[in-house]
Amino acid sequence: MSDEQARELWDAARNAIAGVAPQRGDGAASPLARYLDPARHERETLALRRLPHAVGPASRVGASGDWFATELLAVPVLVARGDDAVLRAFINVCRHRGAIIAPGGQCGSGRTRFVCPYHSWTYDSRGALVGRPHDTDFPDVPRAGASLVELQVTVRCGLVWVVPRPLASFDWDAWFGPMAGELDALGYDAASASPHERRLVQPSNWKLVLDANLESYHFQYAHRATIAHLFHDNLVQQQSFGRHQRIVLPKRTLAQAPADAASWEQLGRHSNIIYFFFPATFLLWEGDHVNGFNVTPQSVSSCAAASWMLVPAAGHARRAAEHWSRNWTIFWDAIDEDYALAASMQQGLASGANAALNFGRNEFACELFEREIDALIGDETAPTSSPSSAARW
Ligand code: FES
Ligand SMILES: [Fe+2]
């Protein structure tokens, strides 16, 4: 990541502000089945389990014995750093009769054993079954074959990422590619602080949430009372990195900044950058911190969001707690507005008023994302042109 790249982004943003070649793509009609079809929801859930998701800040599991339990696409997940300092993720399910071992949503430190609450089968911090009452009653279930089921896990950009389906291996470097390198270079590593966290269940299809965060057309209206005054209207500078996307959102202050001031630091001061890691992780770099969330479907019309603030360790120490808490509030005040509108759309789309959503040429990044999901589940049906017929759903 060089200042030359920052200059390219800076110049493109300034040109767009001046009305020179603002980026546009293709408009599209987005079929309602993407948001309303229960059968499609099932296919998406299975497909999403093959891909990485951010599940929590890396700082939560920095030391041996640190752990947290969560749920991802209906799979209970346990992340633990073993007594050998290796980070592992497991399906958080007992190999005896399937009870969940560590309560979801909890975390802790100094743990050397995980004990199932049902019959006390006991696993060590590496996932091995190391004890069970009345061991001789299980002659056909050797301990060696009853370790917790391991999942692929890694740390990038200050977060723990898990593929919630057992796989023999996963090529993390190929998956993250150069886009993750930008956040790594900005100091988002395993030592990043995470002063704020939030989890919620949202009453809309998960893709409506992400669509709302891949365009700035709505900023001046939906965010009139919160962040509209900070940003230029209807401008995005988008670049695809494989299936991932980076979107620069220029702030109004950028036009007044010295023309030769381009650097990553100045870019962070005068714009926000969305790092959208396909399929479900939205990270917003706001100069001195990142706010983001991972959002995954629970049903066709509801989703679960897990959200974190990340701050590079050195930067965290330089500012008071109120600074981070104020920025977290500003972020969620705006995101709450997006989420409320996604819920309204879910209800509106189910009404039958529309046969499709209409993405404008300024909302092309939404359609790029939706088409990647279509491709992922093997449904590459091209969207129709402008819809006029009655809704199918
Ligand atoms: S289900 Fe875990 S010990 Fe029985
Ligand atoms: Fe928004």
Side-chain angles (χ1 to χ4, degrees):
M1 187 180 76
S2 65
D3 274 353
E4 189 53 38
Q5 289 167 301
R7 168 162 293 288
E8 284 173 23
L9 295 173
W10 178 271
D11 290 345
R14 286 173 72 98
N15 285 341
I17 292 166
V20 179
Q23 190 179 8
R24 291 292 181 266
D26 294 329
S30 185
L32 292 200
R34 285 174 170 170
Y35 316 99
L36 298 178
D37 180 1
R40 181 181 166 112
H41 160 71
E42 298 296 330
R43 289 158 67 204
E44 286 183 355
T45 298
L46 292 175
L48 291 180
R49 283 185 189 154
R50 302 199 308 259
L51 298 177
H53 297 264
V55 292
S59 57
R60 298 263 189 287
V61 281
S64 288
D66 288 353
W67 64 277
F68 66 81
T70 187
E71 186 181 299
L72 190 54
L73 294 155
V75 178
V77 172
L78 172 64
V79 177
R81 193 169 293 276
D83 58 2
D84 55 356
V86 173
L87 184 68
R88 296 180 181 85
F90 308 100
I91 300 181
N92 182 19
V93 167
C94 182
R95 301 304 306 281
H96 176 217
R97 282 166 54 190
I100 291 175
I101 299 169
Q106 294 199 7
C107 64
S109 58
R111 189 70 91 90
T112 58
R113 295 283 187 270
F114 294 95
V115 182
C116 179
Y118 202 170
H119 312 90
S120 231
W121 284 33
T122 299
Y123 305 85
D124 70 11
S125 62
R126 307 181 192 192
L129 179 65
V130 291
R132 57 188 165 190
H134 306 289
D135 192 43
T136 53
D137 283 330
F138 295 91
D140 301 326
V141 187
R143 285 194 199 183
S147 298
L148 295 180
V149 173
E150 208 158 337
L151 300 170
Q152 294 295 311
V153 63
T154 197
V155 168
R156 284 299 295 268
C157 307
L159 290 164
V160 176
W161 303 74
V162 167
V163 180
R165 191 174 104 160
L167 298 173
S169 64
F170 191 87
D171 188 343
W172 292 103
D173 285 339
W175 176 258
F176 283 113
M179 194 173 85
E182 289 189 8
L183 282 171
D184 292 339
L186 289 166
Y188 295 89
D189 57 18
S192 294
S194 182
H196 295 283
E197 178 166 359
R198 182 181 177 191
R199 289 173 189 275
L200 70 154
V201 173
Q202 151 77 3
S204 76
N205 186 277
W206 68 288
K207 299 187 302 299
L208 292 177
V209 169
L210 289 168
D211 287 344
N213 287 281
L214 294 172
E215 49 90 357
S216 69
Y217 181 33
H218 69 284
F219 276 29
Q220 299 304 311
Y221 320 105
H223 300 314
R224 186 178 281 120
T226 51
I227 57 169
H229 65 286
L230 297 173
F231 291 93
H232 281 282
D233 179 27
N234 205 25
L235 290 184
V236 294
Q237 297 297 316
Q238 186 274 0
Q239 184 176 341
S240 293
F241 294 78
R243 288 183 274 187
H244 311 313
Q245 299 191 47
R246 182 190 63 205
I247 295 176
V248 179
L249 303 168
K251 290 183 174 173
R252 293 186 189 276
T253 55
L254 196 148
Q256 282 83 51
D260 59 354
S263 65
W264 281 93
E265 191 203 340
Q266 289 298 315
L267 198 62
R269 183 170 300 176
H270 297 293
S271 67
N272 284 352
I273 300 186
I274 293 167
Y275 290 94
F276 169 55
F277 290 94
F278 186 83
T281 310
F282 167 90
L283 301 179
L284 183 69
W285 180 53
E286 303 190 45
D288 61 0
H289 64 281
V290 160
N291 286 321
F293 53 79
N294 199 90
V295 58
T296 45
Q298 287 197 331
S299 73
V300 71
S301 59
S302 68
C303 55
S307 175
W308 311 276
M309 173 182 270
L310 298 172
V311 188
H316 185 237
R318 280 200 290 270
R319 303 299 295 258
E322 304 87 68
H323 172 78
W324 308 118
S325 117
R326 187 168 60 249
N327 277 283
W328 181 247
T329 300
I330 292 169
F331 174 75
W332 266 103
D333 281 351
I335 297 294
D336 276 337
E337 291 171 333
D338 291 329
Y339 277 46
L341 283 161
S344 135
M345 290 167 68
Q346 189 71 37
Q347 188 178 1
L349 294 177
S351 73
N354 298 339
L357 276 72
N358 292 301
F359 289 136
R361 294 181 55 234
N362 50 356
E363 298 166 305
F364 63 95
C366 307
E367 178 63 12
L368 289 177
F369 159 62
E370 295 282 359
R371 287 192 188 187
E372 290 294 352
I373 296 295
D374 289 351
L376 184 70
I377 64 168
D379 174 9
E380 288 162 316
T381 310
T384 56
S385 56
S386 277
S388 57
S389 58
R392 270 200 312 139
W393 302 97

